[in-house]
Amino acid sequence: MDHFIYRDGALHAEDVALAEIAANVGTPFYCYSDATLTRHFRLFQEALSPLDHLICYAVKANSNLAVLRTLGALGAGMDVVSGGEYRRARAAGVPGEKIVFSGVGKTREEMRHALEHGIRQFNVESEPELHALSEVAATMGATAPICLRLNPDVDAKTHEKIATGRKEDKFGVPIARAREIYAQAARLPGLQVVGADMHIGSQLTDLAPFEAAYTKLADLTRTLRADGHQITRLDLGGGLGIPYTRSNETPPLPLEYGALVQRIFGEMDVEIEIEPGRLIVGNAGVLVAQVIYVKEGEGRDFLILDAAMNDLIRPAMYGAHHDIVPLREPVAGAPSQAFDIVGPVCESGDTFARARPMPPLAAGDLVAFRSAGAYGAVMASEYNTRPLIPEVMVKGDQFAVIRARPTFDEMLARDTIPQWS
Ligand code: LLP
């Protein structure tokens, strides 16, 4: 459920007509709903309420400070994967003790910064990283709390590019070697083992892979405890999928996921952390664009929008589907026409949808891409020297620009022509 609904024939974000925002900020733009963000966060809180838990929102899904502030104020911790994300979480007011640091390639500089400014735990993904962190922490006279990220060799049955828990993926240490690496960690200076971590992939639409991976994690936890390690927390990663179409998708609900987590870990006397990103913010955002031209091609017609693959790369990169709807509600029984929906960027990959049935549309009309709150704005680029598009947050009947559109002068001013030319 989200808060983007037609009211009086016009698509609204909560109580604000998206067309009104378009008139104010111009198109294209991203728009997020505070109420949807809050609702989705609370669904996870409710689902895990019988357990000692912390929900560490995966900042990578949408890292705008306003989004982080909303979630932080609800009690969220954060999962970050770079020094930049760490700084964003802190700037949004999230304390270091609620921030976990994930990622396969943390640099010593990133480790140092997090240790200096406060960190809940590092999710360590390899032996070289373990040694680097030990060295950095010991040199600083600090102690780094760590979980080892375990690779359970479970196929998440999701898109190839976002499956992360198979043995051929770059993530985590093989679960078969976990005891040996935990023993190493216990011997190294500057480290304190606090738990274990897993994240098997994103946009999972079935609970079975979670169950397979978590069962392995629970078994391993018992073994590690018997070996004498203090496993006081388990980070279960993120990955719960969302419906991208209104009609036929029914991914598991947070409550069902929560029941699974309770069934497996409920009696283990352990604090549970999860790192959801997409489920919290995905359906809390839309991308609004304008039709520039309706072009008749040979045997197909094109809707050419002012948004492009640089603004929302998911269709080009993963073949992802996003529902695209007009801001003006189509009249019931209106004829539909199949369009290829494309952007202005100069490659054929800049195609959002092929032969998509759409209601009648003309140049100047506005459309919204649904489910664009996660991995939308954060993956944008300035390809074709197209400015990054603004982001807007709605709360009730108010809206605020939470990232302004840069001017062309600002964009060009970042380049420097060397003296010699
Ligand atoms: N934790 C870790 C360690 C992760 O790598 C990720 C996502 C998450 C949590 C959050 O997963 P979520 O709950 O959002 O599924 N750009 C892709 C998705 C990449 C996901 C990367 N890792 C897309 O647009 O589909």
Side-chain angles (χ1 to χ4, degrees):
M1 201 211 110
D2 62 47
H3 295 78
F4 298 95
I5 40 166
Y6 287 109
R7 216 186 280 167
D8 302 326
L11 191 62
H12 280 62
E14 302 189 24
D15 300 330
V16 183
L18 286 165
E20 185 193 333
I21 302 176
N24 266 271
V25 305
T27 55
F29 65 91
Y30 279 101
C31 177
Y32 312 126
S33 155
D34 183 274
T36 311
L37 276 177
T38 302
R39 181 186 135 76
H40 289 165
F41 181 76
R42 294 215 165 116
L43 287 178
F44 273 117
Q45 269 184 325
E46 202 182 309
L48 295 183
S49 60
L51 296 164
D52 185 11
H53 73 270
L54 181 67
I55 301 163
C56 295
Y57 167 69
V59 171
K60 64 170 75 69
N62 184 322
S63 57
N64 190 289
L65 291 182
V67 170
L68 304 186
R69 173 61 64 92
T70 295
L71 295 172
L74 293 169
M78 305 271 150
D79 166 51
V80 304
V81 293
S82 69
E85 286 191 354
Y86 178 88
R87 285 167 174 84
R88 281 186 175 276
R90 294 306 306 268
V94 179
E97 64 264 25
K98 284 178 129 178
I99 302 178
V100 308
F101 204 140
S102 302
V104 290
K106 300 174 202 79
T107 65
R108 286 163 193 262
E109 182 42 46
E110 287 172 326
M111 293 169 177
R112 210 170 295 127
H113 184 82
L115 280 169
E116 229 165 67
H117 294 87
I119 191 78
R120 178 179 178 79
Q121 90 214 19
F122 291 90
N123 290 334
V124 175
E125 301 221 15
S126 65
E127 289 167 275
E129 184 193 338
L130 196 65
H131 288 275
L133 183 58
S134 162
E135 236 173 76
V136 170
T139 309
M140 292 171 68
T143 303
I146 63 155
C147 290
L148 277 182
R149 177 166 175 182
L150 303 159
N151 183 321
D153 193 22
V154 166
D155 186 348
K157 301 264 165 22
T158 182
H159 190 281
E160 165 65 24
K161 289 186 177 153
I162 53 176
T164 55
R166 304 162 301 182
K167 63 175 182 296
E168 62 268 34
D169 299 320
K170 68 180 173 181
F171 301 96
V173 299
I175 199 162
R177 294 197 49 222
R179 292 178 77 184
E180 169 200 340
I181 301 173
Y182 268 94
Q184 271 187 53
R187 282 195 301 270
L188 286 170
L191 303 181
Q192 186 197 359
V193 170
V194 294
D197 165 53
M198 252 181 201
H199 170 76
I200 60 170
S202 192
Q203 186 56 15
L204 273 72
T205 52
D206 183 1
L207 288 181
F210 284 122
E211 174 152 20
Y214 293 172
T215 304
K216 290 188 180 190
L217 182 59
D219 288 345
L220 179 73
T221 300
R222 285 183 270 269
T223 309
L224 292 174
R225 283 176 166 173
D227 286 349
H229 301 289
Q230 296 284 323
I231 307 295
T232 59
R233 59 180 86 139
L234 294 176
D235 182 337
L236 306 181
L240 201 55
I242 62 170
Y244 275 96
T245 60
R246 305 248 120 188
S247 42
N248 54 5
E249 278 176 285
T250 49
L253 302 170
L255 214 54
E256 297 167 301
Y257 173 82
L260 171 77
V261 171
Q262 276 170 63
R263 181 153 57 74
I264 299 179
F265 301 105
E267 304 298 318
M268 290 194 72
D269 187 25
V270 74
E271 184 179 5
I272 295 296
E273 297 166 349
I274 58 167
E275 304 170 347
R278 189 190 312 263
L279 198 139
I280 291 179
V281 79
N283 281 326
V286 295
L287 163 62
V288 175
Q290 187 168 39
V291 178
I292 309 179
Y293 298 115
V294 179
K295 172 176 170 175
E296 280 183 30
E298 292 241 350
R300 56 199 327 138
D301 294 332
F302 297 94
L303 271 186
I304 303 176
L305 306 182
D306 61 359
M309 64 189 287
N310 70 298
D311 304 308
L312 176 67
I313 203 166
R314 302 194 67 260
M317 190 145 169
Y318 314 109
H321 172 101
H322 285 263
D323 278 355
I324 304 171
V325 297
L327 260 50
R328 210 170 343 97
E329 187 172 20
V331 289
S336 85
Q337 184 183 349
F339 284 107
D340 282 11
I341 304 178
V342 303
V345 161
C346 302
E347 46 184 291
S348 300
D350 185 23
T351 297
F352 292 119
R354 288 212 180 272
R356 177 77 61 90
M358 295 293 289
L361 282 165
D365 284 348
L366 299 171
V367 295
F369 289 70
R370 289 192 181 273
S371 315
Y375 307 111
V378 284
M379 294 181 79
S381 77
E382 293 177 342
Y383 188 35
N384 281 204
T385 306
R386 295 168 47 84
L388 291 181
I389 65 177
E391 295 173 84
V392 174
M393 179 78 84
V394 169
K395 184 173 176 143
D397 60 3
Q398 312 172 65
F399 74 87
V401 175
I402 57 173
R403 179 182 292 176
R405 194 189 308 275
T407 64
F408 287 110
D409 285 345
E410 284 164 349
M411 287 172 71
L412 269 51
R414 296 201 312 256
D415 293 8
T416 305
I417 299 172
Q419 292 298 321
W420 65 71
S421 39

mmCIF file of all heavy atoms in Angstrom, residues 245-265:
data_model
loop_
_atom_site.group_PDB
_atom_site.id
_atom_site.type_symbol
_atom_site.label_atom_id
_atom_site.label_comp_id
_atom_site.label_asym_id
_atom_site.label_seq_id
_atom_site.Cartn_x
_atom_site.Cartn_y
_atom_site.Cartn_z
ATOM 1 N N THR A 245 4.265 -4.498 -10.075
ATOM 2 C CA THR A 245 3.049 -4.313 -10.865
ATOM 3 C C THR A 245 1.880 -4.410 -9.911
ATOM 4 O O THR A 245 1.966 -5.050 -8.871
ATOM 5 C CB THR A 245 2.884 -5.396 -11.946
ATOM 6 O OG1 THR A 245 2.820 -6.666 -11.295
ATOM 7 C CG2 THR A 245 4.040 -5.404 -12.918
ATOM 8 N N ARG A 246 0.812 -3.754 -10.281
ATOM 9 C CA ARG A 246 -0.344 -3.710 -9.381
ATOM 10 C C ARG A 246 -1.112 -5.024 -9.406
ATOM 11 O O ARG A 246 -1.845 -5.340 -8.504
ATOM 12 C CB ARG A 246 -1.294 -2.591 -9.822
ATOM 13 C CG ARG A 246 -0.616 -1.269 -9.906
ATOM 14 C CD ARG A 246 -1.106 -0.329 -8.851
ATOM 15 N NE ARG A 246 -0.007 0.082 -8.000
ATOM 16 C CZ ARG A 246 -0.145 0.779 -6.894
ATOM 17 N NH1 ARG A 246 -1.329 1.112 -6.467
ATOM 18 N NH2 ARG A 246 0.910 1.122 -6.187
ATOM 19 N N SER A 247 -0.957 -5.786 -10.486
ATOM 20 C CA SER A 247 -1.894 -6.873 -10.712
ATOM 21 C C SER A 247 -1.503 -8.207 -10.084
ATOM 22 O O SER A 247 -2.163 -8.697 -9.167
ATOM 23 C CB SER A 247 -2.092 -7.037 -12.215
ATOM 24 O OG SER A 247 -0.838 -6.910 -12.858
ATOM 25 N N ASN A 248 -0.378 -8.792 -10.535
ATOM 26 C CA ASN A 248 -0.221 -10.219 -10.264
ATOM 27 C C ASN A 248 0.944 -10.577 -9.359
ATOM 28 O O ASN A 248 1.358 -11.720 -9.309
ATOM 29 C CB ASN A 248 -0.064 -10.956 -11.604
ATOM 30 C CG ASN A 248 1.069 -10.331 -12.412
ATOM 31 O OD1 ASN A 248 1.744 -9.446 -11.914
ATOM 32 N ND2 ASN A 248 1.260 -10.788 -13.626
ATOM 33 N N GLU A 249 1.515 -9.612 -8.674
ATOM 34 C CA GLU A 249 2.656 -9.953 -7.833
ATOM 35 C C GLU A 249 2.248 -9.914 -6.368
ATOM 36 O O GLU A 249 1.695 -8.925 -5.911
ATOM 37 C CB GLU A 249 3.781 -8.929 -8.025
ATOM 38 C CG GLU A 249 4.639 -9.154 -9.226
ATOM 39 C CD GLU A 249 5.641 -8.018 -9.347
ATOM 40 O OE1 GLU A 249 5.211 -6.935 -9.762
ATOM 41 O OE2 GLU A 249 6.812 -8.211 -9.000
ATOM 42 N N THR A 250 2.589 -10.946 -5.639
ATOM 43 C CA THR A 250 2.288 -10.944 -4.210
ATOM 44 C C THR A 250 3.491 -11.451 -3.426
ATOM 45 O O THR A 250 3.476 -12.577 -2.908
ATOM 46 C CB THR A 250 1.066 -11.844 -3.886
ATOM 47 O OG1 THR A 250 1.272 -13.103 -4.531
ATOM 48 C CG2 THR A 250 -0.231 -11.235 -4.338
ATOM 49 N N PRO A 251 4.549 -10.648 -3.344
ATOM 50 C CA PRO A 251 5.698 -11.077 -2.551
ATOM 51 C C PRO A 251 5.305 -11.197 -1.079
ATOM 52 O O PRO A 251 4.307 -10.612 -0.654
ATOM 53 C CB PRO A 251 6.716 -9.951 -2.753
ATOM 54 C CG PRO A 251 5.962 -8.793 -3.271
ATOM 55 C CD PRO A 251 4.711 -9.303 -3.898
ATOM 56 N N PRO A 252 6.086 -11.972 -0.310
ATOM 57 C CA PRO A 252 5.740 -12.162 1.091
ATOM 58 C C PRO A 252 5.706 -10.832 1.842
ATOM 59 O O PRO A 252 6.450 -9.907 1.516
ATOM 60 C CB PRO A 252 6.870 -13.039 1.630
ATOM 61 C CG PRO A 252 7.795 -13.317 0.520
ATOM 62 C CD PRO A 252 7.309 -12.662 -0.710
ATOM 63 N N LEU A 253 4.847 -10.755 2.840
ATOM 64 C CA LEU A 253 4.705 -9.531 3.629
ATOM 65 C C LEU A 253 5.723 -9.526 4.767
ATOM 66 O O LEU A 253 6.158 -10.593 5.223
ATOM 67 C CB LEU A 253 3.290 -9.467 4.220
ATOM 68 C CG LEU A 253 2.164 -9.510 3.203
ATOM 69 C CD1 LEU A 253 0.815 -9.687 3.902
ATOM 70 C CD2 LEU A 253 2.185 -8.235 2.355
ATOM 71 N N PRO A 254 6.075 -8.346 5.262
ATOM 72 C CA PRO A 254 6.985 -8.278 6.412
ATOM 73 C C PRO A 254 6.527 -9.155 7.573
ATOM 74 O O PRO A 254 7.347 -9.790 8.240
ATOM 75 C CB PRO A 254 6.962 -6.794 6.787
ATOM 76 C CG PRO A 254 6.693 -6.092 5.499
ATOM 77 C CD PRO A 254 5.767 -7.008 4.730
ATOM 78 N N LEU A 255 5.214 -9.230 7.783
ATOM 79 C CA LEU A 255 4.711 -10.043 8.896
ATOM 80 C C LEU A 255 5.048 -11.528 8.699
ATOM 81 O O LEU A 255 5.403 -12.230 9.647
ATOM 82 C CB LEU A 255 3.185 -9.865 8.984
ATOM 83 C CG LEU A 255 2.569 -9.903 10.369
ATOM 84 C CD1 LEU A 255 3.237 -8.907 11.319
ATOM 85 C CD2 LEU A 255 1.066 -9.625 10.296
ATOM 86 N N GLU A 256 4.948 -12.000 7.458
ATOM 87 C CA GLU A 256 5.291 -13.402 7.171
ATOM 88 C C GLU A 256 6.795 -13.630 7.323
ATOM 89 O O GLU A 256 7.249 -14.652 7.842
ATOM 90 C CB GLU A 256 4.839 -13.775 5.747
ATOM 91 C CG GLU A 256 3.330 -13.692 5.575
ATOM 92 C CD GLU A 256 2.880 -13.741 4.108
ATOM 93 O OE1 GLU A 256 3.291 -12.872 3.307
ATOM 94 O OE2 GLU A 256 2.111 -14.650 3.792
ATOM 95 N N TYR A 257 7.553 -12.645 6.857
ATOM 96 C CA TYR A 257 9.012 -12.704 7.015
ATOM 97 C C TYR A 257 9.351 -12.729 8.511
ATOM 98 O O TYR A 257 10.178 -13.531 8.962
ATOM 99 C CB TYR A 257 9.624 -11.490 6.315
ATOM 100 C CG TYR A 257 11.104 -11.316 6.526
ATOM 101 C CD1 TYR A 257 12.029 -12.026 5.770
ATOM 102 C CD2 TYR A 257 11.579 -10.412 7.484
ATOM 103 C CE1 TYR A 257 13.395 -11.852 5.957
ATOM 104 C CE2 TYR A 257 12.943 -10.222 7.676
ATOM 105 C CZ TYR A 257 13.842 -10.949 6.918
ATOM 106 O OH TYR A 257 15.182 -10.776 7.116
ATOM 107 N N GLY A 258 8.698 -11.876 9.272
ATOM 108 C CA GLY A 258 8.940 -11.802 10.719
ATOM 109 C C GLY A 258 8.636 -13.128 11.399
ATOM 110 O O GLY A 258 9.365 -13.566 12.296
ATOM 111 N N ALA A 259 7.568 -13.779 10.961
ATOM 112 C CA ALA A 259 7.197 -15.067 11.557
ATOM 113 C C ALA A 259 8.287 -16.107 11.294
ATOM 114 O O ALA A 259 8.637 -16.909 12.167
ATOM 115 C CB ALA A 259 5.854 -15.539 10.994
ATOM 116 N N LEU A 260 8.845 -16.065 10.089
ATOM 117 C CA LEU A 260 9.939 -16.993 9.746
ATOM 118 C C LEU A 260 11.153 -16.728 10.652
ATOM 119 O O LEU A 260 11.757 -17.664 11.192
ATOM 120 C CB LEU A 260 10.319 -16.803 8.270
ATOM 121 C CG LEU A 260 11.571 -17.543 7.813
ATOM 122 C CD1 LEU A 260 11.264 -19.011 7.603
ATOM 123 C CD2 LEU A 260 12.148 -16.939 6.535
ATOM 124 N N VAL A 261 11.487 -15.464 10.799
ATOM 125 C CA VAL A 261 12.642 -15.091 11.625
ATOM 126 C C VAL A 261 12.418 -15.563 13.078
ATOM 127 O O VAL A 261 13.312 -16.130 13.705
ATOM 128 C CB VAL A 261 12.885 -13.564 11.564
ATOM 129 C CG1 VAL A 261 13.927 -13.125 12.586
ATOM 130 C CG2 VAL A 261 13.317 -13.161 10.151
ATOM 131 N N GLN A 262 11.211 -15.364 13.565
ATOM 132 C CA GLN A 262 10.913 -15.809 14.936
ATOM 133 C C GLN A 262 11.011 -17.312 15.078
ATOM 134 O O GLN A 262 11.506 -17.828 16.072
ATOM 135 C CB GLN A 262 9.497 -15.399 15.318
ATOM 136 C CG GLN A 262 9.419 -13.981 15.831
ATOM 137 C CD GLN A 262 7.988 -13.557 15.969
ATOM 138 O OE1 GLN A 262 7.252 -14.141 16.758
ATOM 139 N NE2 GLN A 262 7.578 -12.577 15.192
ATOM 140 N N ARG A 263 10.504 -18.004 14.073
ATOM 141 C CA ARG A 263 10.521 -19.469 14.120
ATOM 142 C C ARG A 263 11.972 -19.973 14.193
ATOM 143 O O ARG A 263 12.285 -20.884 14.944
ATOM 144 C CB ARG A 263 9.802 -20.021 12.882
ATOM 145 C CG ARG A 263 9.711 -21.528 12.811
ATOM 146 C CD ARG A 263 8.507 -21.981 11.996
ATOM 147 N NE ARG A 263 8.480 -21.450 10.635
ATOM 148 C CZ ARG A 263 9.263 -21.854 9.649
ATOM 149 N NH1 ARG A 263 10.164 -22.793 9.860
ATOM 150 N NH2 ARG A 263 9.149 -21.327 8.439
ATOM 151 N N ILE A 264 12.856 -19.353 13.429
ATOM 152 C CA ILE A 264 14.231 -19.859 13.374
ATOM 153 C C ILE A 264 15.087 -19.348 14.532
ATOM 154 O O ILE A 264 15.900 -20.087 15.076
ATOM 155 C CB ILE A 264 14.873 -19.512 12.006
ATOM 156 C CG1 ILE A 264 14.078 -20.182 10.892
ATOM 157 C CG2 ILE A 264 16.339 -19.946 11.961
ATOM 158 C CD1 ILE A 264 14.570 -19.913 9.493
ATOM 159 N N PHE A 265 14.906 -18.075 14.892
ATOM 160 C CA PHE A 265 15.837 -17.484 15.871
ATOM 161 C C PHE A 265 15.187 -17.147 17.220
ATOM 162 O O PHE A 265 15.882 -16.688 18.133
ATOM 163 C CB PHE A 265 16.451 -16.204 15.295
ATOM 164 C CG PHE A 265 17.205 -16.418 14.008
ATOM 165 C CD1 PHE A 265 16.673 -16.022 12.780
ATOM 166 C CD2 PHE A 265 18.448 -17.035 14.016
ATOM 167 C CE1 PHE A 265 17.367 -16.218 11.595
ATOM 168 C CE2 PHE A 265 19.151 -17.245 12.824
ATOM 169 C CZ PHE A 265 18.604 -16.839 11.621
#
